[in-house]
């Protein structure tokens, strides 16, 4: 499925700009844009030595890091690239070739993971079910489209997802796939939850205790689902799991420009806040669909241990003071 609407020749400076402005958005797309932009910067540069190449990759990584602080996919992509870079030996030319291949491997692995998540998750669908999804997650959509391919006809409620309306992207995508979709406002979730059989959302970050950071409103959706005894599953690749949370770091919830909500001049004297993500506690999550299989949120630690057992905190890795 077509999921990456950024140019394949994107460089690091453009990726930084586009991720900040949300022209590139969604945790998986952000991760792939990071890998592709580093590959392209490598391709367009010449290096006197492998040390110089490494210095440049660290510099690009620092520029990319923090563009969307709530998406651990971004830092885990950098982690992967840096750890591969430190393992490679040889001169600048050899290192450049190997690292460009690593970036391509990351992108391919990420796309494959989404397909596998679609496969596994679709086993949870049955014809006639009503599904609710929030915001726009390519992994949640992978499950729904794979279900459709297997002849499972479901109906979907897609939340609008104020303030940026990513729900429109979801609704249009489902329509294209010939899946029955109804757009609803975010505050209609509780009223309609009694009609829902299953909630499927994506994740920006999953913490060591199995909490899920996702688009603002996800925790309200989860609370309503929990109250109505509707199961909620999260669709996320293993690179959304946060090793930092093992070291006691809390996930930073991004607060975006309030003008995404309203021009402050139109409502003078009123404080406005615009947190872009929230945390859903593990008690409200029935399962996490990963490319490793469908796991309970309590298994988050095992995934982190397996994939990031030797990880160092990102700021230490990038030597950020
Ligand atoms: C998007 C969002 C998505 C996750 C997962 O928020 O919260 O659910 O990023 O997406 P935003 P995916 O629009 O602010 O980036 O499954 O595509 O990685």
């Amino acid at each position: 499925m077509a999921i990456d609407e950024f140019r394949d020749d994107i460089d690091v400076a453009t990726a930084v700009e586009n991720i900040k402005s949300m022209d590139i958005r969604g945790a998986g797309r952000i991760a792939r844009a990071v890998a592709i932009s580093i590959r392209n910067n490598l391709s367009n540069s010449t290096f006197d030595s492998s040390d110089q190449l490494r210095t440049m990759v660290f510099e690009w990584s620092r520029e990319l890091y923090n563009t969307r602080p709530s998406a651990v996919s971004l830092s885990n992509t950098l982690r992967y690239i840096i750890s591969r870079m430190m393992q490679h030996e040889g001169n600048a030319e050899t290192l450049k070739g190997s690292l460009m291949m690593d970036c391509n491997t990351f992108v391919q692995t990420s796309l494959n993971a989404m397909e596998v998540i679609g496969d596994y998750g679709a086993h949870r669908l049955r014809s006639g079910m009503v599904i609710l999804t929030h915001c726009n997650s390519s992994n949640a959509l992978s499950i729904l489209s794979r279900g459709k391919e297997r002849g499972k006809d479901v109906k979907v409620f897609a939340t609008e997802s104020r303030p940026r309306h990513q729900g429109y992207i979801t609704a249009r995508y489902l329509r294209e796939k010939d899946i029955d979709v109804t757009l609803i406002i975010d505050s209609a979730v509780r009223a309609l939850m009694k009609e829902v059989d299953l909630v499927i959302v994506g994740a920006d970050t999953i913490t060591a205790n199995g909490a899920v950071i996702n688009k603002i409103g996800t925790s309200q959706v989860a609370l309503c689902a929990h109250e109505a005894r509707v199961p909620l599953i999260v669709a996320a690749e293993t690179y959304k799991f946060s090793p930092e949370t093992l070291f006691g770091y809390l996930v930073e919830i991004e607060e975006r420009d309030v003008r995404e909500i309203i021009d402050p001049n139109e409502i003078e004297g009123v404080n406005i806040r615009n947190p872009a993500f929230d945390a859903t506690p593990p008690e409200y999550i029935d399962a996490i669909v990963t490319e490793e299989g469908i796991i309970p949120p309590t298994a988050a630690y095992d995934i982190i241990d397996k994939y990031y057992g030797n990880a160092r905190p990102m700021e230490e890795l990038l030597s950020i003071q």
Side-chain angles (χ1 to χ4, degrees):
M1 72 180 168
I3 31 93
D4 289 333
E5 66 276 1
F6 51 87
R7 291 174 55 129
D8 198 50
D9 59 1
I10 189 168
D11 61 11
V12 168
T14 315
V16 166
E17 216 173 279
N18 288 0
I19 294 170
K20 276 190 190 155
S21 67
M22 285 181 65
D23 287 320
I24 297 174
R25 47 146 300 281
R29 283 189 204 89
I30 291 173
R32 289 185 290 277
V34 163
I36 290 172
S37 70
I38 291 184
R39 179 200 67 194
N40 292 340
N41 268 33
L42 283 166
S43 166
N44 297 334
S45 312
T46 45
F47 305 97
D48 296 335
S49 66
S50 47
D51 278 350
Q52 192 202 12
L53 183 153
R54 290 195 180 93
T55 305
M56 287 315 296
V57 170
F58 274 112
E59 203 164 294
W60 299 329
S61 300
R62 280 190 284 270
E63 285 169 34
L64 288 157
Y65 179 68
N66 261 339
T67 45
R68 291 296 304 274
S70 309
V72 79
S73 56
L74 196 158
S75 39
N76 281 343
T77 310
L78 296 174
R79 241 180 235 298
Y80 169 82
I81 293 171
I82 290 169
S83 83
R84 297 296 299 167
M85 178 172 80
M86 293 327 223
Q87 283 162 30
H88 292 310
E89 288 170 0
N91 62 23
E93 214 35 44
T94 322
L95 177 57
K96 173 172 158 173
S98 308
L99 207 52
M100 284 174 63
M101 274 197 315
D102 291 329
C103 293
N104 287 337
T105 304
F106 178 87
V107 173
Q108 203 45 56
T109 310
S110 159
L111 294 172
N112 292 346
M114 189 160 52
E115 293 296 320
V116 176
I117 287 169
D119 261 346
Y120 291 164
H123 292 138
R124 291 287 177 104
L125 303 183
R126 292 185 314 278
S127 276
M129 268 183 153
V130 176
I131 313 289
L132 185 142
T133 190
H134 183 55
C135 193
N136 176 251
S137 153
S138 31
N139 286 286
L141 293 181
S142 177
I143 294 178
L144 292 168
S145 62
R146 187 52 54 94
K148 177 73 183 177
E149 283 160 25
R150 292 195 189 142
K152 298 180 181 190
D153 279 316
V154 299
K155 291 185 177 187
V156 180
F157 283 126
T159 55
E160 187 182 36
S161 310
R162 281 271 296 151
R164 295 189 67 109
H165 303 121
Q166 291 93 326
Y168 297 174
I169 308 172
T170 296
R172 286 195 189 104
Y173 176 88
L174 292 171
R175 199 52 228 121
E176 262 169 39
K177 294 278 168 188
D178 203 23
I179 296 173
D180 185 318
V181 58
T182 304
L183 188 70
I184 60 172
I185 55 170
D186 303 336
S187 41
V189 166
R190 187 162 186 247
L192 294 174
M193 190 56 82
K194 53 184 171 301
E195 296 176 29
V196 174
D197 299 299
L198 179 68
V199 176
I200 309 178
V201 292
D204 282 80
T205 294
I206 300 175
T207 67
N209 74 341
V212 166
I213 317 302
N214 193 50
K215 179 52 52 194
I216 190 80
T218 303
S219 70
Q220 279 176 195
V221 171
L223 187 60
C224 295
H226 186 73
E227 179 197 42
R229 294 183 171 70
V230 172
L232 177 144
I233 62 175
V234 175
E237 310 89 328
T238 46
Y239 61 78
K240 308 268 177 71
F241 289 72
S242 164
E244 318 269 355
T245 56
L246 274 188
F247 308 126
Y249 287 88
L250 296 175
V251 179
E252 191 184 329
I253 300 292
E254 177 188 358
E255 293 236 6
R256 296 189 61 83
D257 192 331
V258 297
R259 281 169 298 187
E260 287 185 348
I261 301 177
I262 188 171
D263 179 347
N265 296 325
E266 286 181 34
I267 189 154
E268 265 175 49
V270 173
N271 300 319
I272 310 168
R273 287 189 63 182
N274 185 19
F277 295 93
D278 65 19
T280 299
E283 306 85 81
Y284 296 166
I285 298 163
D286 290 88
I288 304 176
V289 188
T290 75
E291 72 275 23
E292 287 263 318
I294 302 191
I295 60 166
T298 45
Y301 171 81
D302 301 315
I303 296 281
I304 295 174
D305 190 39
K306 176 169 173 187
Y307 283 87
Y308 305 104
N310 302 322
R312 286 154 61 197
M314 211 48 209
E315 302 205 340
E316 194 182 306
L317 189 66
L318 297 179
S319 310
I320 293 173
Q321 306 308 320

